[in-house]
Structure formats: structure tokens, C-alpha cells
């Protein structure tokens, strides 16, 4: 009897694996690919979190198109190796590294100050760095919850600090990596974005940070109306990246091992970032959420709420201590 049960279980497991491989194969077949004929010569691009995953592949793609690419990364040694690799593989020597840790507001301000001192133009700002939430709530030296500041507040501050340069460089673009996991964030209270009320859950923190990415995209698009600067958010899809590997959350770690079977390659995951950075649509459409290189309608009513977007924006200004001289709108 036990032999029969074991055999049945083995057959069921094998069938499940086969189904997963087939689903993954079909998923990858449906990925949109950005045509290569669109070049970016003369353009300057900043990509946060560009030392691995989709950020690295987006940087490689844009370098191959002739852009001057600035890798904004926390680990300079790792980023330096990536820059060398991209230069070698693309033949483009204009791939630079600058230090940025989006979990530190001081690092964000230092990075922005360096960019404003060194750069005369900025054509594309890709806000891509992120982490998967940890099991326990962690607060940074700025008093901000780690997931929220890394994925949302740090990028919110950086976008504000560089808005003046983006506006003077128009037409220009802001591209924000969000996620369809925002759909799991059922409710956002703008007054407790850092989970001060004790209701912290790792999945809630991650999904809320991604929802805030989309809400800020929509509000910022309204603020920038008529300036020549577009801002759009996106979901890269299901991709195996370090964001899952580095988390101590069991669900995130499980995704890391399943993603190679069910998910996209990192090159495929980077395509929507590249689309928004180089396509005509990315330069004319603003305030939208994209999946697979096209506008998505898979948004919850919550992230489509203009009133909530404004409140999240205002709370974010307070949380990062945005100063009058840092406002460029």
C-alpha cells in the first residue's frame, strides 16, 4: 500500500513540475521585446539598483543603445564590476558608478547633490532599487520602516531633488518600478505609512510600498503636467532576482527558487523599463501603470484614488523632511 501511495505522490509531483515548466515556457513566449533600432545617443540615464537583476539588464540595454548610463548603487565594488562588464559587452565606455543607498535619506541627498554638481542634463531617471520585506519590522536611523524607505521614501525624495534638472532637460522621463503585488494592499492609511500602529506584516509592507510607488506616479504626473517630463510606473513581471534571495521572508525565498521555472529571465523583466525609457509612448504617455510594455488595467480602485495619492504625497513630504528649496514644482 505504501509503495502505491509513494508512486502516486511521485507521479503527481512529476506532473506538477511538467505543468510548471509548460506554464513558464508560455509566459516567457508572451514577453514583449523592445526593438533595438531606437538609440539613446546623447542621453543621460540614471538607474537605481543597477548592480543586479532587471536594473543591471536595463542599464546594459541602454548602454548598448549609446546612452550615458549612471549606475546608482549601494555597493560600489559590486557596481564597479557590473560597470566594467557592461562596458565590455556593449563597447560603451560611458557607464559610470555613483553611490546611493535609498534606505538612507542622507545618502539620497548626497547622491543628488553630486549629480546636480556634475551633470548638465538628465533625460531618464529610473527608480528601480528595492527590497523584499523582512519578517521583523526594522526602523532606520531616519525613523522610517526599512521596506518603505528603500522602495518608496528614498525614491520619492530623489525624484523631488532631481526634478529641476529633469525639467530643464525636457523632454525627459521618470520610470518607477512598482508591482502588481500592490493589489494585495487592501487599505493604506496615509498617517501610518511606517506601520507605527503595530500592524506590521512583511507582505503588507512590500505591497504597500509598491502601491505607494503607483500613487506617487499618478500625483507626480499631475504636478508635472505641461513640463515635458513624463512619469510612469511598471510591473516587470515574475523574475528571479536578488530581491527574493536576500529576504529572510520564507515566501520571498520560495519565489526565488520557483521563478526560474515559472518566471521571466532578467533580460525579459527589464523590457518594460526599457520601453518606457526609449519608446515614443514613454515620452508621451504619463501617469500610467505598464505591464509587458503596454498600459495595464490591472489597478485597484485604491491606487487610482487621486485624493489618496495626494495624501500619500503630503505624508511622504513630511516623512523625508522635504525642504522648500528641495521642491521644484
Amino acid at each position: 500500500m505504501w509503495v502505491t501511495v509513494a508512486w502516486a505522490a511521485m507521479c503527481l509531483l512529476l506532473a506538477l513540475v511538467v505543468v510548471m515548466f509548460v506554464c513558464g515556457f508560455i509566459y516567457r513566449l508572451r514577453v514583449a521585446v523592445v526593438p533595438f533600432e531606437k538609440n539613446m545617443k546623447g542621453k543621460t540615464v540614471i538607474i537605481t539598483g543597477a548592480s543586479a537583476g532587471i536594473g543591471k539588464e536595463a542599464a546594459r540595454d541602454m548602454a548598448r543603445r549609446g546612452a550615458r548610463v549612471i549606475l546608482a548603487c549601494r555597493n560600489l565594488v559590486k557596481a564597479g564590476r557590473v560597470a566594467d562588464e557592461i562596458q565590455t559587452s556593449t563597447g560603451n565606455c560611458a557607464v559610470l558608478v555613483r553611490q546611493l543607498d535609498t534606505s538612507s535619506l542622507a545618502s539620497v541627498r548626497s547622491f543628488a547633490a553630486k549629480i546636480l554638481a556634475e551633470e548638465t542634463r538628465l533625460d531618464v531617471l529610473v527608480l528601480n532599487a528595492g527590497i523584499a520585506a523582512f519578517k521583523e519590522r526594522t526602523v532606520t536611523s531616519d525613523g522610517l520602516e526599512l521596506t518603505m524607505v528603500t522602495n518608496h521614501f528614498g525614491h520619492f525624495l530623489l525624484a523631488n531633488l532631481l526634478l529641476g534638472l529633469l525639467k530643464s532637460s525636457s523632454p525627459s522621463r521618470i520610470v518607477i518600478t512598482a508591482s502588481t503585488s500592490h493589489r494585495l494592499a487592501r487599505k493604506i492609511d496615509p498617517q501610518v505609512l511606517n506601520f507605527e500602529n503595530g500592524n506590521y506584516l512583511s507582505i503588507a509592507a512590500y505591497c504597500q510600498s509598491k502601491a505607494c510607488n503607483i500613487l506617487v506616479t499618478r500625483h507626480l504626473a499631475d504636478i508635472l503636467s505641461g513640463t515635458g517630463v513624463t512619469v510612469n510606473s511598471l510591473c516587470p513581471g515574475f523574475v528571479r532576482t536578488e530581491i527574493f534571495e536576500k529576504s529572510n521572508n520564507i515566501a520571498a525565498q520560495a519565489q526565488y527558487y520557483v521563478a526560474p521555472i515559472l518566471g521571466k529571465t532578467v533580460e525579459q523583466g527589464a523590457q518594460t523599463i526599457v520601453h518606457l525609457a526609449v519608446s515614443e509612448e514613454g515620452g508621451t504617455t504619463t501617469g500610467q501603470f505598464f505591464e509587458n510594455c503596454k498600459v495595464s488595467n490591472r489597478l485597484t480602485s485604491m491606487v487610482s484614488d487621486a485624493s489618496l495619492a495626494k495624501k500619500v504625497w503630503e505624508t511622504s513630504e513630511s516623512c523625508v523632511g522635504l525642504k522648500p528649496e528641495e521642491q521644484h514644482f
Side-chain angles (χ1 to χ4, degrees):
M1 176 181 176
W2 289 111
V3 174
T4 302
V5 172
W7 176 252
M10 186 183 303
C11 290
L12 181 62
L13 178 61
L14 180 60
L16 178 61
V17 171
V18 170
V19 169
M20 289 173 64
F21 271 104
V22 171
C23 290
F25 178 73
I26 294 172
Y27 181 51
R28 288 186 288 273
L29 276 182
R30 299 175 64 186
V31 173
V33 177
V34 182
F36 186 68
E37 61 266 17
K38 185 70 174 179
N39 74 66
M40 298 187 73
K41 292 179 180 178
K43 306 290 186 183
T44 295
V45 180
I46 292 175
I47 304 178
T48 70
S51 63
I54 61 175
K56 174 183 174 180
E57 294 310 317
R60 189 194 309 277
D61 186 292
M62 290 184 230
R64 189 177 290 118
R65 296 171 190 270
R68 183 170 180 272
V69 183
I70 299 173
L71 312 182
C73 305
R74 181 182 59 82
N75 188 327
L76 288 181
V77 174
K78 181 180 179 181
R81 290 196 297 265
V82 169
D84 291 342
E85 177 192 329
I86 292 176
Q87 289 176 4
T88 300
S89 64
T90 65
N92 183 347
C93 294
V95 181
L96 313 175
V97 174
R98 296 290 181 268
Q99 190 164 38
L100 171 66
D101 180 356
T102 58
S103 71
S104 165
L105 300 184
S107 176
V108 173
R109 286 188 164 94
S110 176
F111 171 82
K114 190 173 183 63
I115 292 298
L116 294 174
E118 295 179 345
E119 305 297 328
T120 58
R121 66 177 299 107
L122 176 57
D123 300 278
V124 182
L125 174 62
V126 180
L127 304 177
N128 168 75
I131 61 170
F134 292 87
K135 288 189 292 186
E136 302 296 329
R137 179 177 181 266
T138 302
V139 178
T140 68
S141 59
D142 296 303
L144 303 174
E145 191 277 318
L146 182 60
T147 314
M148 285 296 296
V149 67
T150 304
N151 296 357
H152 165 62
F153 291 122
H155 283 140
F156 170 85
L157 176 59
L158 181 59
N160 273 281
L161 295 176
L162 297 182
L163 273 187
L165 182 58
L166 284 159
K167 289 167 71 174
S168 67
S169 306
S170 68
S172 54
R173 313 175 187 200
I174 301 173
V175 179
I176 302 176
T177 300
S179 172
T180 52
S181 65
H182 77 272
R183 297 175 63 85
L184 298 178
R186 298 299 181 185
K187 181 180 180 181
I188 291 180
D189 183 345
Q191 302 306 312
V192 288
L193 290 182
N194 286 292
F195 298 94
E196 300 95 331
N197 56 5
N199 293 333
Y200 177 86
L201 289 173
S202 59
I203 186 64
Y206 179 76
C207 295
Q208 177 171 287
S209 72
K210 297 290 104 179
C212 286
N213 289 155
I214 298 171
L215 287 163
V216 163
T217 295
R218 302 181 76 87
H219 190 68
L220 184 54
D222 290 339
I223 290 174
L224 294 174
S225 177
T227 65
V229 183
T230 61
V231 52
N232 292 290
S233 59
L234 69 111
C235 176
F238 188 33
V239 188
R240 180 179 183 175
T241 67
E242 289 184 0
I243 193 173
F244 297 130
E245 182 184 22
K246 292 180 178 179
S247 173
N248 66 1
N249 181 289
I250 295 176
Q253 291 177 344
Q255 291 182 71
Y256 178 77
Y257 291 103
V258 172
I261 301 173
L262 288 176
K264 300 177 181 179
T265 65
V266 285
E267 294 85 359
Q268 291 174 326
Q271 290 303 299
T272 305
I273 292 177
V274 175
H275 172 75
L276 289 172
V278 308
S279 70
E280 290 185 12
E281 183 176 34
T284 56
T285 301
T286 192
Q288 297 298 317
F289 177 68
F290 280 72
E291 288 184 88
N292 204 25
C293 298
K294 60 184 179 182
V295 175
S296 171
N297 59 5
R298 294 204 298 165
L299 292 174
T300 63
S301 58
M302 181 181 70
V303 297
S304 301
D305 185 339
S307 175
L308 178 61
K310 186 174 186 294
K311 291 175 182 176
V312 166
W313 179 278
E314 292 170 346
T315 298
S316 298
E317 285 185 330
S318 176
C319 286
V320 304
L322 195 67
K323 305 166 188 173
E325 62 269 24
E326 295 175 334
Q327 297 177 344
H328 302 281
F329 49 87

